[in-house]
Amino acid sequence: MSDASLNTTKVQGFEGEATFGDFFALLKPRVMTLVVFTAFVGLIAAPVSVHPVVGFAAILFIAVGGGASGALNMWWDADIDSVMKRTAKRPIPAGKVTRDEAFAFGMALSGFSVVMLGLATNLLAAGLLAFTIFFYIVIYTMWLKRWTPQNIVIGGAAGAFPPMIGWAAATGSVSIEAVLMFCLTFMWTPPHFWALALFTKMDYDNAQVPMLTVTHGRRSTRVHILVYTVLLAALAIGLGFTSVGGPLYLAIAVVLNLNFLKGAVDIWRRDEAASEADKYLAERKFFKASLLYLFAHFGAIAAEALLAPYGLGGW
């Protein structure tokens, strides 16, 4: 990325003054939904009561911090977003928001979210949010994403922090349960994105992003998806035997992980000819299932926490 392109105030095809919707799109609202939900689960699964106003403020500022990360990610990645079909309609490559505007917006929201979370809850939660934003933008976006095929593996940590931040906001500490919720998202991220990479075909090649499909080939990617899914299943089911798990969580985890393992095996067995013949049906199904997978696991953790006061949740 050249200095000239980084400092560009206007981009080719710029359409005029940005709207509220354009800036909202910079926040990656679909990703923010996952951030908000997992942070909320971390908050309510914590073994302490949190005042509703404090809890609402915590989730709000975590969401703002997640949105700030999205805006800064789009600021830095505008050059590759413009050549990938999946991202070409984002606000900057579409000419609706300039890079300078996205950078200023993201930095302002970053500072605001961290300071306000610290005031509303505690310094540990604020520090974790600040580190998450730094990790996602500097470690993942600026460094790992364009340098190593392990970009998604290591960079997945950024998306795994929200439940830990929610837990810290409630308790002022980090426990093994918070770490395990972090690990659940961390281990889920690689197979989720590798499945996407399989059926988005040439996007990463065109953008020269060293995704595993580009550097090690599609056969290797299928093997990696299976290996990570096996490890993920063991972790997810094991989480059911901790204090944030319980019979309901365990039953849901067993069903979901058997289905997820079947999807990974289906992908592993296929070759490119078979995948192209049915337009990557198995890979698309696995990717869609991965979205439900994470929401369902965290939803089950939330259900266990909400049922616990009535003697119905947990062990």
Side-chain angles (χ1 to χ4, degrees):
M1 182 179 296
S2 67
D3 292 340
S5 62
L6 268 176
N7 295 325
T8 296
T9 318
K10 301 292 181 182
V11 296
Q12 186 177 5
F14 186 70
E15 298 178 355
E17 187 173 350
T19 66
F20 172 82
D22 296 328
F23 280 103
F24 184 70
L26 284 175
L27 305 180
K28 294 189 175 181
R30 286 188 294 181
V31 176
M32 190 192 297
T33 301
L34 181 61
V35 168
V36 168
F37 183 62
T38 58
F40 172 74
V41 173
L43 185 81
I44 65 171
V48 297
S49 59
V50 179
H51 192 282
V53 174
V54 175
F56 174 79
I59 299 304
L60 174 63
F61 298 132
I62 292 171
V64 172
S69 297
L72 291 172
N73 171 266
M74 289 195 196
W75 157 70
W76 186 263
D77 276 351
D79 57 335
I80 62 175
D81 282 351
S82 65
V83 299
M84 296 175 64
K85 291 181 180 179
R86 186 172 62 88
T87 57
K89 293 184 179 180
R90 285 178 173 177
I92 299 176
K96 296 178 179 179
V97 177
T98 69
R99 273 180 164 152
D100 287 351
E101 288 170 338
F103 176 75
F105 185 58
M107 290 298 292
L109 290 184
S110 296
F112 172 78
S113 62
V114 170
V115 171
M116 294 305 296
L117 183 62
L119 293 174
T121 59
N122 55 73
L123 292 180
L124 176 60
L128 285 172
L129 179 60
F131 179 74
T132 300
I133 296 171
F134 170 81
F135 190 96
Y136 184 64
I137 301 306
V138 178
I139 304 299
Y140 169 68
T141 303
M142 294 183 177
W143 179 35
L144 294 173
K145 185 173 184 177
R146 306 187 190 215
W147 177 66
T148 172
Q150 296 300 309
N151 47 20
I152 288 301
V153 178
I154 304 170
F161 276 111
M164 186 182 290
I165 300 172
W167 185 284
T171 65
S173 63
V174 172
S175 70
I176 185 63
E177 292 85 358
V179 173
L180 288 173
M181 285 190 285
F182 167 94
C183 290
L184 180 63
T185 307
F186 180 79
M187 291 300 297
W188 164 87
T189 302
H192 167 74
F193 276 102
W194 285 332
L196 174 67
L198 283 173
F199 67 78
T200 50
K201 296 286 283 180
M202 300 302 294
D203 261 7
Y204 292 107
D205 300 69
N206 295 337
Q208 297 183 336
V209 174
M211 188 64 76
L212 194 65
T213 49
V214 178
T215 61
H216 288 65
R218 305 173 80 77
R219 179 71 249 161
S220 177
T221 302
R222 295 175 186 278
V223 174
H224 276 71
I225 288 174
L226 178 59
V227 171
Y228 270 81
T229 301
V230 170
L231 297 174
L232 172 63
L235 172 67
I237 293 173
L239 187 60
F241 297 98
T242 70
S243 64
V244 296
L248 175 62
Y249 171 90
L250 189 59
I252 291 173
V254 169
V255 172
L256 286 172
N257 282 280
L258 286 175
N259 179 66
F260 210 48
L261 282 167
K262 180 183 180 301
V265 170
D266 289 343
I267 289 176
W268 171 67
R269 285 177 173 172
R270 286 157 65 87
D271 57 23
E272 283 305 299
S275 296
E276 289 180 358
D278 63 9
K279 298 181 179 179
Y280 293 87
L281 180 62
E283 292 80 1
R284 293 177 186 274
K285 286 176 62 177
F286 183 86
F287 177 75
K288 291 179 180 178
S290 72
L291 297 172
L292 172 63
Y293 178 97
L294 201 63
F295 275 103
H297 277 81
F298 276 94
I301 294 173
E304 293 282 6
L306 293 172
L307 290 171
Y310 305 99
L312 300 174
W315 293 107

